[in-house]
Amino acid sequence: MTSLSPEFVTQAKYNRVMLKISGEALMGDQGFGLHPPTVQRIAEEVKSVHDMGVEICMVIGGGNIFRGLQGSAQGMERTTADYMGMLATVMNALGMQSALEELGVFTRVISAIPMDQVCEPYIRRRAVRHLEKKRVCIFAAGTGNPYFTTDTAAALRASEMACEAIFMGKQVDGIYDSDPKTNPDAKRFDRITYNEVLTKNLKVMDASAIALTRDNNMPLIVFSLDEPGGFRGILAGEGTYTKVMG
């Protein structure tokens, strides 16, 4: 994939962004684990935005390997289940790092739980420096605390890294008033406020993450990760998405 022209680079709407994707997004058509072609496709999407000169943070969920809430619902102690989910996010982060570096994109996996043999511990100033050097930073292990989701981790790290927006890659091209997969008359919102997301119970992110992004006046852009070139297109001012603002 070739780098974009300088003229295109200047069109990027944001200089530093957070990309949040679910672990399930890495499964492809499988029911579990990592699907290498899907990981490769997402890595190429990230590279296309990186080639625009945009500094990129990422948070990837762990639901394709283990979900803490499901483990807890099946009788496992909640704190233990959540830590297992955090370890799953590290596995996904390492898989994405491998795919990105195969494309020539320097990447750092930064974990909230220290595990020095496989990734860096989270130190804010060091992470900011990585971004300034145009390295993609993948934040793993959530916040390092049980009872908090990777949505909240994405909102927290985006605020700490002074990101200009959070991009949430979904299987649909925005936020709808009902499930568009089951309701053909579902209405997509072009713009919506954080308070409306909460009051309408639209389940874009968990309530803690929504409150954190709202309180830090952080725009949230919900788009389809399955749309080829969608991530780059939005950065260039094109494409279909929903923007959530205060």
Side-chain angles (χ1 to χ4, degrees), residues 160-177:
E160 290 177 304
M161 295 298 105
C163 291
E164 296 171 13
I166 299 174
F167 282 72
M168 178 162 282
K170 296 278 192 179
Q171 293 180 320
V172 292
D173 58 356
I175 301 173
Y176 287 77
D177 60 358

Side-chain angles (χ1 to χ4, degrees), residues 17 19 46 49-50 54-58 131 135-137 231:
V17 300
L19 173 63
V46 173
V49 171
H50 183 267
V54 178
E55 297 170 2
I56 304 171
C57 305
M58 293 182 70
L131 291 172
R135 298 165 181 158
V136 173
C137 288
F231 187 23

Side-chain angles (χ1 to χ4, degrees), residues 82-94:
D82 280 356
Y83 279 124
M84 291 173 67
M86 291 178 215
L87 295 177
T89 71
V90 176
M91 295 171 68
N92 285 337
L94 292 172

